[in-house]
């Protein structure tokens, strides 16, 4: 083999970002920063504080907080076992006894959370180990020794030897967990929190749908469930979108009744009965949902289901008096605040603890993934997670989609240029150039200082490519005479400035 061929084969693998994830790059990231800055500012004016929960949490938290029946929990979470560090990572055959004893202890102390399945799995692995141990004593002469050892490896691998954790698919459950963990019910109520950051769902990637995506969200926990709270939260959201310059936003609202009380339960029963009658005409997903989550059928986007859905009973006609009053008051409060809304009786959130107000905002330029925000009231959630009975309402904005929509409507920023490019030549000029760069940067100008000497022609070409506004030309002549040349690149005009005049001249230009 020739040397070239060897080299070719050894060429290192080229890596690419994992499917459904992406790099956010300049200049787009400037738009992301601007949007996030706007969120910080607008939310602060409404009295919200920022919370930064961890990116992974116990799987159990999401299973409860998001709901085991949802697509998110049943198939979209990134979950792994965070192995207890009290266990040897690779126990040898010789130390298996000690290993299993240790596992038992950790199960008992709760260090490794367990359920019946784990107990059973451990028992199977231990029994298998005893079998293999006997075989070892016999010098592994039995014909089945290989198979038994293989089985031991399989059973050992299947053991869950640590905490099951998941990358967060959303943050509401985390915020509620934090509210409980830090006894925030002792603070003045309600507690108003917002967050921003990446979420992870194993969905089919497409425009506006990624496996790592970003949300900006807010939650109000505690206090009363006064309709003004719902309305002010939505007002804040619309103010934020407005300040971002988002075009063509449409707010849809609905009330889905009271979960604990009669109206929602009665409605779901009515809906289910009706759905059973038209079951044959529905697609497989909707058929399945009749059992698991009938409200979600209303969500269906399938063309052929639309005429059927139009005939289904509507929750607005089935609300109890309390819920009806609450919904009417939310609408009134929105009107007071000049927030324009549309009612959409099909807008639901599929989870039991969502109740009363639900809302969604769509924006333009996004095709079928046009929802930029979803939210709703969830008075039962904190209690479901082991906290005191607590009112709650919140929303989550899809930041990727928000950015896409802004880009589609021409709000994307252009590449960031430089204010000053310093073209220098010669050892004397180098020291002067470094000094000038420092002075200019301290005053807030963005400065490009080439690390190695370049001919002036090349330097000016580079300055042009970077979109610099001015070039500061420093050669031996300039340094000796103390008269520097400042060139405006747009029109090619030049002027002479002294070191003392430099800042002043630039600030006036
Ligand atoms: P969709 O119906 O679009 O799947 P969802 O009901 O799953 O949305 P929520 O869980 O309410 O969405 O999340 C709130 C917002 O987060 C959505 O309105 C959307 O803008 C954004 N979002 C959700 N999933 C993704 C994703 N995989 N990629 C990008 N943005 C997403
Ligand atoms: Mg989804």
């Amino acid at each position: 083999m020739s040397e070239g061929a060897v080299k070719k084969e050894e060429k290192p693998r080229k890596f690419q970002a994992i499917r459904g994830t992406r790099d956010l790059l300049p200049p787009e990231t400037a738009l992301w920063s601007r949007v996030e800055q706007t969120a910080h500012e607008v939310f602060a004016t409404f009295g919200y504080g920022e919370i930064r929960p961890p990116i992974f949490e116990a799987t159990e938290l999401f299973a409860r907080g998001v709901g085991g029946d949802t697509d998110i929990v049943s198939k979209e979470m990134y979950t792994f076992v965070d192995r207890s560090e009290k266990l040897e990572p690779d126990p040898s055959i010789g130390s298996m006894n000690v290993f299993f004893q240790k596992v038992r202890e950790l199960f008992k102390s709760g260090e490794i959370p367990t359920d019946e399945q784990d107990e059973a799995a451990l028992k199977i692995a231990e029994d298998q180990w005893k079998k293999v141990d006997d075989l070892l004593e016999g010098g592994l002469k039995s014909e089945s020794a290989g198979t038994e050892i293989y089985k031991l490896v399989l059973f050992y691998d299947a053991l869950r030897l640590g905490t099951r954790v998941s990358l967060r698919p959303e943050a509401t459950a985390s915020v509620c967990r934090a509210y409980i963990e830090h006894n925030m019910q002792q603070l003045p109520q309600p507690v108003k929190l917002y967050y921003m950051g990446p979420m992870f769902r194993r969905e089919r990637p497409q425009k506006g749908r990624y496996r790592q995506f970003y949300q900006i969200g807010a939650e109000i926990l505690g206090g009363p469930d006064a309709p003004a709270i719902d309305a002010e939260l939505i007002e804040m959201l619309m103010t934020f979108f407005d300040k971002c310059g988002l075009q063509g936003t449409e707010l849809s609202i609905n009330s889905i009744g009271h979960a604990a009380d009669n109206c929602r339960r009665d409605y779901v029963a009515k809906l289910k009965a009706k759905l059973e009658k038209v079951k044959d005409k529905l697609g497989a997903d909707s058929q399945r949902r009749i059992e698991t989550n009938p409200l979600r059928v209303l969500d269906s986007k399938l063309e052929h289901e639309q005429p059927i859905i139009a005939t289904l009973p509507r929750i607005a006609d089935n609300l109890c008096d309390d819920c009806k009053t609450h919904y009417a008051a939310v609408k009134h409060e929105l009107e007071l605040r000049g927030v324009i809304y549309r009612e959409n009786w099909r807008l639901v959130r599929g989870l039991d603890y969502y109740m009363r107000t639900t809302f969604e905002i769509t924006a333009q330029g996004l095709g079928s993934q046009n929802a930029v925000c979803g939210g709703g009231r969830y008075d039962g959630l904190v209690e479901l997670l082991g906290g005191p009975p607590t009112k709650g309402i919140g929303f989550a904005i899809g930041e990727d989609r928000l950015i896409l929509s802004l880009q589609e409507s021409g709000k994307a920023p252009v590449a960031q240029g430089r204010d000053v490019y310093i073209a220098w030549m010669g050892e004397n000029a180098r020291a002067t150039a470094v000094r000038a760069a420092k002075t200019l940067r301290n005053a807030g100008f963005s400065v490009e200082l080439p690390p190695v000497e370049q001919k002036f022609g090349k330097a000016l070409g580079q300055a042009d490519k970077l979109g610099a506004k001015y070039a500061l030309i420093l050669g031996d002549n300039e340094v000796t005479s103390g008269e520097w040349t400042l060139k405006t690149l747009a029109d090619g005009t030049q002027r002479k400035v002294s070191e003392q005049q430099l800042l002043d001249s630039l600030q006036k230009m």
Side-chain angles (χ1 to χ4, degrees), residues 416-423 433 436-437 439-441 444-450 459 463-464 466-474 484-487 489 502-503 505-507 509:
Q416 185 212 352
R418 310 285 191 284
D419 295 318
V420 184
Y421 189 99
I422 302 183
T439 310
L440 290 171
R441 285 173 177 149
F445 289 101
S446 78
V447 176
E448 197 63 33
L449 176 66
D464 249 349
L466 289 174
K469 285 194 213 119
Y470 307 104
L472 177 62
I473 298 168
L474 293 175
W484 299 358
T485 306
L486 190 60
K487 181 170 176 155
L489 290 165
L502 177 68
L503 264 187
S505 311
L506 275 170
Q507 273 155 351
M509 279 162 94

Side-chain angles (χ1 to χ4, degrees), residues 375-390:
R377 181 164 277 289
Y378 50 81
D379 292 352
L381 184 53
V382 170
E383 203 174 351
L384 189 77
L385 297 175
T390 307

